[in-house]
Amino acid sequence: MSATAQALNQSFRRDAHVIGLVGLAHGTSHFFHLIIVPLFPWLMAEFGLSYAELGLLMSVFFVISGMGQAAAGFVVDRVGPLPVLLTGIALFGVAALAFAVAQNYPMLMLAAALTGLGNCVFHPADFTLLNRRVTHARLAHAYSVHGIAGTLGWAAAPVLLTGLATTVGWRGAVVGAAVLAFGVLATLLVNRQTLEAAPEPQSSGAPSTQIAVSGSSFLRLPAVWMCFTFFFITAMALGGVQSFMPTALRELYGTPLSLASLSITLFMLAYAGGMLIGGFLATKTPHHERIIAGAFLLMAAMSMLLATGGVPSPLISVLIVVMGMGAGIAGPSRDLLVRAAAPRNATGRVYGVVYSGLDVGLSLSPLMFGAMMDSHHPGWVFAGIGAFQALALVTAVRVGRNTAAQRAQGA
C-alpha cells in the first residue's frame, strides 16, 4: 500500500470512529426525548395525572433544553465540546434515576427539568466535534449519520421502554434508561482521545464565509437569526407530525388506530432513509438551500393533499413516506447551511442559538395543533404542517442567498 493510500485509509478510519461516537451520543439524546412518553399510562395510573399535567412535563423538558442550548454553545466554545457532551450524558443518567425514585408530581417535574438540562448540550457539542474532527469532504455524510442516529434513538425508545415497563414496571424501565446513559458515558470516556477536538481547521477546499468574532457579537449576524427562524418553523411542522398526525388521520380518514399509530413509524423510517440520500446529495453542490427548497416543496404538497380529506386510503401511507423522505433529504444540507453561516470561532455558540429554535418550536407546536384538534378540524393539522414547511422553504432560500452574498463579498 502506498503512503498516500495508507494516509487516506487512516483518515477514513479516524473519521468513521468520530462519526460513530458522536452518532451514539446523538441517538442517546433522542432516546431521552421520549423517556416518559411511552410510560404515560403507568404514570397516569400511579400518580392520577391528567394529559395536561403529562404534557406540562414535556413542555418543561423543551423549555429547559431550549434555554440551556444557547448557553451551552458559549460553554462549548470556552471549554471545548467533549467535557460538555460528557456532562450531558451524565445528566441523562441522573435524570433517569430521579424519575425512578419520584414519589409525586414535583419530583417528576424536577426529573423532566434535569433531562432537558442534559439534552441542551448535544447540538452545539456534537456539531463542533464533527466540524473539528471530520475531514471536510466527509462532513455531509457525518451530518447524515448524525441525523439517522437521532432518528433511530426516537424509534428505539418506545419499543425498549414499553417492553421493560411491561415486564419490570415503569420504574425498572427508567432504571434501564439510566444504565444505557452510563454505558454510553463509559464508551465515550474510553474513546475520549479520539474525540479530543483540536481548534477548527481552515480547509482550503471548503468555500466558506466564516469570519472571526468575539463574545456575543455573532448575534448581530442576520444569517444566525434567519437560521434560528428556519429551525423554529421546521420544528413547528415536525411537532404537528409527531403529536397529532395519527389522531388527525383517524378523525379525517377514519384510519384504524393501529394503522394511524404506524404512520409515525413510517415517517421516521422514511426520514432516516432520506437522511442517507441527503448526505450524498449535499456533497454534489454548495447550494444547499436548493436541496432544502425542493425537499420542503414536496413535503408541503403532500401535507396539503392530505389536508383535503380526499386522498384514497391506499395512498395515505405513500404520502406520509414521501413527507418523511423529504424531511430527511433536507437534513444534511440544513446542517451544512448553518455551518456556512457560522463564524469561524463561534461554532458552538451559533449551533446553540440556532438549534434552540427547535426546542422553542417543539414546545409550542403541540399547543397550536392540539387546539385545532379540540376544535374538530383535523384537516387544519395537515394544512398547518404544509404551511410551516412552505415557510421553511422561503427561509432556507433567504439564508442561502445571504451566505452567497457574504461569500461574494469575501472573494
Side-chain angles (χ1 to χ4, degrees):
M1 181 182 294
S2 68
T4 301
Q6 189 173 24
L8 288 172
N9 184 53
Q10 290 176 346
S11 170
F12 175 81
R13 292 177 61 185
R14 184 190 65 245
D15 286 351
H17 196 186
V18 171
I19 292 168
L21 291 169
V22 175
L24 175 64
H26 192 226
T28 304
S29 77
H30 278 231
F31 182 94
F32 273 80
H33 285 186
L34 301 179
I35 186 176
I36 61 170
V37 172
L39 306 178
F40 277 177
W42 286 271
L43 296 177
M44 292 179 72
E46 178 155 344
F47 296 101
L49 302 178
S50 67
Y51 282 110
E53 288 170 321
L54 290 171
L56 183 59
L57 292 176
M58 296 306 299
S59 294
V60 167
F61 169 86
F62 282 117
V63 168
I64 296 295
S65 179
M67 294 173 61
Q69 196 156 184
F74 283 86
V75 180
V76 165
D77 286 335
R78 179 173 293 273
V79 305
L82 184 56
V84 178
L85 182 64
L86 296 175
T87 301
I89 296 285
L91 280 171
F92 277 157
V94 172
L97 294 178
F99 274 120
V101 301
Q103 300 298 316
N104 50 49
Y105 188 68
M107 292 181 72
L108 291 175
M109 190 77 73
L110 174 61
L114 284 173
T115 311
L117 189 62
N119 187 68
C120 76
V121 312
F122 284 89
H123 285 120
D126 285 1
F127 283 110
T128 300
L129 280 168
L130 292 177
N131 288 334
R132 293 183 180 182
R133 299 296 288 171
V134 175
T135 306
H136 179 268
R138 299 191 182 102
L139 268 181
H141 299 294
Y143 293 161
S144 175
V145 172
H146 185 262
I148 291 170
T151 304
L152 293 177
W154 272 335
V159 176
L160 180 59
L161 291 170
T162 301
L164 284 174
T166 302
T167 56
V168 298
W170 74 268
R171 294 184 188 275
V174 288
V175 169
V179 172
L180 171 66
F182 290 127
V184 172
L185 178 64
T187 301
L188 296 180
L189 284 170
V190 169
N191 292 277
R192 62 187 180 275
Q193 289 186 338
T194 300
L195 294 174
E196 287 289 351
E200 288 186 75
Q202 291 301 293
S203 174
S204 59
S208 177
T209 62
Q210 295 179 334
I211 56 174
V213 298
S214 60
S216 60
S217 60
F218 75 97
L219 293 173
R220 294 195 294 268
L221 297 175
V224 171
W225 293 108
M226 282 190 281
C227 288
F228 173 91
T229 303
F230 171 73
F231 275 76
F232 170 76
I233 293 170
T234 56
M236 291 293 287
L238 180 61
V241 170
Q242 289 183 327
S243 301
F244 291 105
M245 184 168 68
T247 306
L249 286 174
R250 291 178 63 193
E251 290 200 14
L252 190 60
Y253 289 96
T255 306
L257 176 60
S258 57
L259 293 179
S261 300
L262 185 62
S263 65
I264 295 293
T265 302
L266 287 175
F267 182 92
M268 289 303 174
L269 290 175
Y271 186 96
M275 277 277 189
L276 185 62
I277 296 170
F280 286 95
L281 292 177
T283 63
K284 304 298 183 182
T285 175
H287 301 290
H288 304 296
E289 71 280 1
R290 297 178 183 175
I291 296 175
I292 297 171
F296 273 64
L297 181 62
L298 186 63
M299 293 169 64
M302 300 301 101
S303 298
M304 292 301 183
L305 282 174
L306 287 169
T308 66
V311 177
S313 296
L315 292 181
I316 292 174
S317 295
V318 175
L319 298 189
I320 290 171
V321 167
V322 173
M323 286 174 60
M325 188 74 71
I329 288 172
S333 292
R334 173 200 67 186
D335 297 329
L336 286 168
L337 203 63
V338 176
R339 182 181 185 272
R344 185 174 65 247
N345 62 337
T347 305
R349 283 167 281 170
V350 170
Y351 276 103
V353 169
V354 166
Y355 273 87
S356 67
L358 279 178
D359 292 318
V360 175
L362 288 171
S363 66
L364 296 178
S365 179
L367 301 176
M368 186 191 74
F369 287 106
M372 293 178 183
M373 292 302 302
D374 287 338
S375 300
H376 304 290
H377 293 295
W380 291 8
V381 171
F382 291 108
I385 292 170
F388 281 118
Q389 289 163 344
L391 284 173
L393 181 162
V394 174
T395 309
V397 170
R398 288 190 62 191
V399 173
R401 288 177 177 173
N402 180 276
T403 303
Q406 291 186 22
R407 185 182 300 134
Q409 291 175 2

